[in-house]
Amino acid sequence: MRCARTLQQLALSANRRSLHHLAHPERSVGVIGAPFCKGQPRGGVERGPDLIRAAGLLHRLHEQGCAVKDYGNLMFEEVADDEPVGVLKNLLAVGSANQRLSEAVQAVKKDGHTTVMLGGDHSLAIGSIHGHSAAVGDLSVVWVDAHADINTPLTSLTGNLHGQPVSYLLHELHSKVPALPNFSWVKPCVSAKDLVYIGLRDVDPAEHYILKLLGVKVFSMSDVDRLGVSRVMEETCDYLSAKVKKPIHLSYDIDAIDPSVTPATGTPVVGGLTYREGVYITEHLSQTGLLSAVDLVEVNPLRGQTEQDVQSTVSTAVDVLLGCFGRLREGNHPTDYRLPEP
């Protein structure tokens, strides 16, 4: 009788552990470094991937119970004779780097991981999102940024490709993007209805027109102030899951956060997200269970005035990424943790 009771207790305990692990599945993370800077004019942003790793990202993901595979940094070849095409700069380098990144993201997704792409500048979202979509199909995209990055090659005033990636990815803008060298491989893969912006506060007139024309869901910093970040995230997730729940690609520019917190970035704009709002966004998306790939871009140590500027920017980037994979500010514990018996 005692033996039967013991077996029953063991079975119940095993069942509880099984249910516990189902409720808290292990997250599998594949990290790709993309040390690339040619989408914009400021050197230093290519150092972002190594700085974020050096700040303990991989170890802290392990501590959170994630299985982590680091695929290392991609190697990008120097491109000769990369002359401007009109105002557009470094087309050959940006096109080549993004094609390489697209292939790498596809490989990571086929290995079954949630992809983390450490940039580099935001032009890399072309390859990251393209590769993600090629691997899994239709996506929702949450773009957290001070800037809309939706200029077309014909509306861009600067010619910097980190201000244009969204236009290459949207089906609705395909006819507005001319054929460009090294970009013939890019196929639009995102619908405007599956795109949400959070944190905008520096939008060019042409970008504002495009966003209104396409009916893109936008939460500017004025909206964040008015609604609060919790309501913004509730509305974001309700909007994206209203019809079919698709895998979410989060493309996060560190300049979305106010430069008082993350000053070491190429194009800082005052009036941004607080640290708490910036991290809350990722915590909320993590809880949907749909987050499938993440970009963290535009950390540039050469743009900080002091070592403290760089440290604050990098540590915030790490915390943003930890929030994507289950870090809770009220505390975490291992999924199999049990109190010791007396």
Side-chain angles (χ1 to χ4, degrees):
M1 185 70 168
R2 183 178 176 183
C3 182
R5 187 179 297 116
T6 301
L7 288 171
Q8 185 179 34
Q9 289 170 342
L10 286 170
L12 286 170
S13 176
N15 190 45
R16 288 193 196 98
R17 286 196 299 272
S18 176
L19 290 172
H20 188 79
H21 284 291
L22 284 172
H24 302 275
E26 183 179 57
R27 299 163 193 255
S28 179
V29 185
V31 178
I32 305 173
F36 182 78
C37 65
K38 296 295 181 67
Q40 47 82 62
R42 301 173 183 88
V45 72
E46 72 279 3
R47 293 170 56 187
D50 288 342
L51 283 172
I52 293 170
R53 286 192 185 92
L57 174 65
L58 305 182
H59 175 68
R60 294 179 68 185
L61 285 169
H62 277 298
E63 286 186 329
Q64 285 184 196
C66 296
V68 183
K69 180 174 180 180
D70 188 357
Y71 288 76
N73 287 346
L74 297 177
M75 302 294 291
F76 301 115
E77 296 179 1
E78 289 293 325
V79 178
D81 302 320
D82 202 353
E83 296 297 322
V85 176
V87 299
L88 302 178
K89 303 166 187 172
N90 300 320
L91 277 169
L92 298 180
V94 174
S96 175
N98 275 287
Q99 186 172 18
R100 173 80 184 89
L101 178 58
S102 174
E103 293 165 354
V105 169
Q106 290 178 60
V108 175
K109 292 307 299 178
K110 287 174 182 175
D111 286 346
H113 305 297
T114 298
T115 307
V116 171
M117 186 276 285
L118 304 176
D121 69 61
H122 216 164
S123 70
L124 293 163
I126 298 171
S128 182
I129 293 174
H130 180 277
H132 187 190
S133 176
V136 307
D138 291 340
L139 301 173
S140 296
V141 175
V142 178
W143 195 277
V144 182
D145 202 328
H147 311 89
D149 294 348
I150 200 171
N151 270 304
T152 73
L154 302 180
T155 66
S156 174
L157 299 177
T158 66
N160 297 325
L161 272 78
H162 76 158
Q164 304 171 41
V166 180
S167 71
Y168 294 84
L169 296 165
L170 287 185
H171 293 293
E172 292 84 352
L173 290 179
H174 183 53
S175 64
K176 305 300 183 184
V177 177
L180 298 169
N182 268 16
F183 277 80
S184 60
W185 61 273
V186 180
K187 307 300 179 189
C189 55
V190 178
S191 296
K193 64 181 174 57
D194 295 323
L195 171 64
V196 177
Y197 282 98
I198 301 172
L200 296 189
R201 57 192 184 277
D202 185 12
V203 179
D204 293 342
E207 293 181 303
H208 187 260
Y209 175 82
I210 291 168
L211 294 172
K212 293 293 185 182
L213 178 69
L214 301 184
V216 176
K217 188 72 167 176
V218 173
F219 294 99
S220 69
M221 280 310 304
S222 296
D223 296 316
V224 175
D225 288 341
R226 178 171 56 88
L227 298 171
V229 71
S230 176
R231 175 78 177 274
V232 165
M233 293 314 299
E234 288 174 8
E235 291 193 13
T236 294
C237 293
D238 287 347
Y239 175 81
L240 292 177
S241 62
K243 295 180 181 178
V244 179
K245 292 183 179 180
K246 299 172 183 175
I248 294 174
H249 188 112
L250 171 62
S251 202
Y252 204 121
D253 189 321
I254 202 66
D255 75 20
I257 298 176
D258 192 80
S260 62
V261 180
T262 58
T265 189
T267 50
V269 185
V270 297
L273 298 165
T274 66
Y275 168 89
R276 288 157 54 192
E277 290 168 337
V279 172
Y280 183 88
I281 289 168
T282 63
E283 291 174 345
H284 193 98
L285 289 175
S286 173
Q287 291 168 16
T288 67
L290 297 172
L291 193 57
S292 181
V294 183
D295 309 325
L296 195 293
V297 298
E298 300 285 359
V299 172
N300 189 335
L302 299 187
R303 303 300 294 176
Q305 298 300 310
T306 66
E307 183 58 35
Q308 177 58 37
D309 286 350
V310 177
Q311 183 179 346
S312 177
T313 305
V314 172
S315 64
T316 301
V318 171
D319 287 349
V320 162
L321 289 168
L322 295 176
C324 292
F325 297 99
R327 174 179 177 260
L328 300 174
R329 282 171 285 169
E330 61 265 33
N332 292 75
H333 63 269
T335 57
D336 58 352
Y337 184 84
R338 295 291 184 273
L339 287 175
E341 297 292 337

